[in-house]
Amino acid sequence: MTQTRRLVRMEVTVTHEGMNADFAGESCSPELHPPPPPLSAAKACASPRTSLRAAATDEPTRARLQPRCPARSGAQPSFGIMAMTLNEAEGGSERAARSAEQLGTADWDSYLEKRNIVLQFLHSNLSLRHLQHHQNKVELLKKSCFYLEVEPKHVNVRDQNHVTLRTDILQLVDPCQFQRMKKVAKDQTETQLMLSTELLEQLKSGREELNNYVRNYDIKTFLSQWNLIMQKLTQLSTFLENLLSLQTPGKLYVKHHLVSHANLRGTRLPNIRLSICTKMPLIFDRNESYAHKHWAKLKWFTENQESHLEQCELHIKLLTNGSQNEPGYSRIQPVTSDTCAVSGLQPGRSYEFAIRRSNTHTFVYGKWYDRFVLTTKTDADEHADGNACALEE
C-alpha cells in the first residue's frame, strides 16, 4: 500500500509539471499568426469505444494536437498570467492527488490520456491567440465592402454586320435578373457575417466549458462525463471548421439565364459564373492627415495595402454643433488615389471627413466607413506656429 501511494505521488508530481507547461503555452507571443488547420472531428472526437491511449500515443496525432506556439527566446509570461495559471494547475493537481488515492492505475492512466486530449485541443485550436485572430478577421469583414463578380468579364459578340466585337458582359446581362442576383448576394453576405459572429461566441463559451471540466472536475466525475466531453469536442471542432469556411465569400448559384439569346445575335451562350468578392475597408491615416487655415490634407490606406486603388468618395461635412441659425454644409469629392487635398475651408471650424468606396454597378453590401474630425487653424494659430518656427531657427 505504501509503494502504491508513493507511485501515485510521483505521477502527480509529473502531471503537475506537465500542467504548468501546458498552461504556460497559453501565454506565448501575443502576435497574431494564421491559425492551424482545425482538429479533425473524426480523430479528435473519436467514438468512446475507440482506444484513447492509441490516439494519445500515435505520433502524427500527437504532433497535430500539440500547441502551435512559436518558440521565442527570452519571452516571459506576465506575472498575472503566471500566477493565475499556477493556481489553476495546483488546484487541479491537488484534486487529482486526492482522487488518485481512491483509483487504480488503469483509471489513473485513462484520466491522464483523456485530460491531455482536452488540454491539447484548448491550447492549439481554441487558444486565446487563435480566437483573437478569428475575432479580428470577423471584425474586418464587417467593415469590408462586398461586390458581385461576374466571370467571364468579356465575351465576343457579332454585330449586325457579322463583325466580332469584344463586349463587356455587364452590357449583355438582363438588368432585372442582375438586380435579383445582387439581392441574393446581399442576403448571403449578411447571413455569413451573422453566423460568423454567433460561431465565434459559441467557440468562446465552449472554451470556458472545457476549461471548467479540466479545472473543477475530480477524476471520477471527469471519467463519468467523458462521453459528454467528447460530444463537446466534436461540436466545437465542427464550429471551427464552419467559421473558417464562412470567412471566404462563396459562389452564387445562377438559377436563370442572365443573358438573353437575342443580345448574343447567334453567338454561343457563355457559361456565366457569379461570386462575391471582398474589398478591405479604407482607413484614414491619422498621423499623415492634418488641417491648415483654409485647406486640409487627407490620407488613407487599406489593410492589405492595395497597389491599385479604385474610385472612392471623400465626404466633407461642416459641423455646426446643432445650430439652427447656420446652414449645414457638405459635399462629396470623387478620388482615385490614397490622398487628397481639400480646399475652400473656413478657418477655426471643425469638419468631419469620411472615406468610402463608390457604389458601383456591382456593389452588394457595405455599411461601415471610416470618419474623423479635423479643425482648421485660426490666424492666432498660424501666428503662434510662425513664432515657434522662428525660435527654432
Side-chain angles (χ1 to χ4, degrees), residues 39-41 43-48 52 110-122 126 205-239:
L39 186 61
S40 172
K43 293 185 178 180
C45 306
S47 169
L52 294 170
S110 176
Y111 167 74
L112 292 181
E113 291 172 0
K114 294 175 180 179
R115 183 177 180 275
N116 189 49
I117 291 175
V118 178
L119 286 176
Q120 288 176 335
F121 187 78
L122 284 172
L126 283 189
S205 61
R207 186 181 189 278
E208 292 300 320
E209 187 175 343
L210 291 179
N211 269 324
N212 178 62
Y213 295 150
V214 174
R215 291 196 301 259
N216 299 326
Y217 279 20
D218 57 31
I219 297 178
K220 286 186 176 181
T221 306
F222 187 89
L223 293 177
S224 65
Q225 297 295 319
W226 179 242
N227 287 341
L228 176 63
I229 296 174
M230 291 298 290
Q231 292 175 8
K232 194 64 181 180
L233 287 172
T234 303
Q235 184 186 54
L236 293 175
S237 180
T238 303
F239 286 167

Side-chain angles (χ1 to χ4, degrees), residues 234-254:
T234 303
Q235 184 186 54
L236 293 175
S237 180
T238 303
F239 286 167
L240 186 58
E241 292 175 359
N242 292 339
L243 178 62
L244 292 174
S245 65
L246 288 174
Q247 291 178 359
T248 303
K251 296 181 179 181
L252 294 176
Y253 173 68
V254 184

Side-chain angles (χ1 to χ4, degrees), residues 169-234:
I169 191 65
L170 294 180
Q171 297 179 2
L172 305 176
V173 170
D174 181 84
C176 295
Q177 293 290 351
F178 192 71
Q179 290 298 324
R180 182 179 301 176
M181 293 309 301
K182 287 177 62 176
K183 177 65 167 57
V184 173
K186 179 182 178 182
D187 294 341
Q188 179 173 312
T189 299
E190 291 178 330
T191 301
Q192 288 184 342
L193 293 176
M194 179 186 66
L195 288 177
S196 297
T197 303
E198 293 180 357
L199 287 173
L200 193 59
E201 293 301 321
Q202 290 290 338
L203 290 174
K204 292 178 181 178
S205 61
R207 186 181 189 278
E208 292 300 320
E209 187 175 343
L210 291 179
N211 269 324
N212 178 62
Y213 295 150
V214 174
R215 291 196 301 259
N216 299 326
Y217 279 20
D218 57 31
I219 297 178
K220 286 186 176 181
T221 306
F222 187 89
L223 293 177
S224 65
Q225 297 295 319
W226 179 242
N227 287 341
L228 176 63
I229 296 174
M230 291 298 290
Q231 292 175 8
K232 194 64 181 180
L233 287 172
T234 303

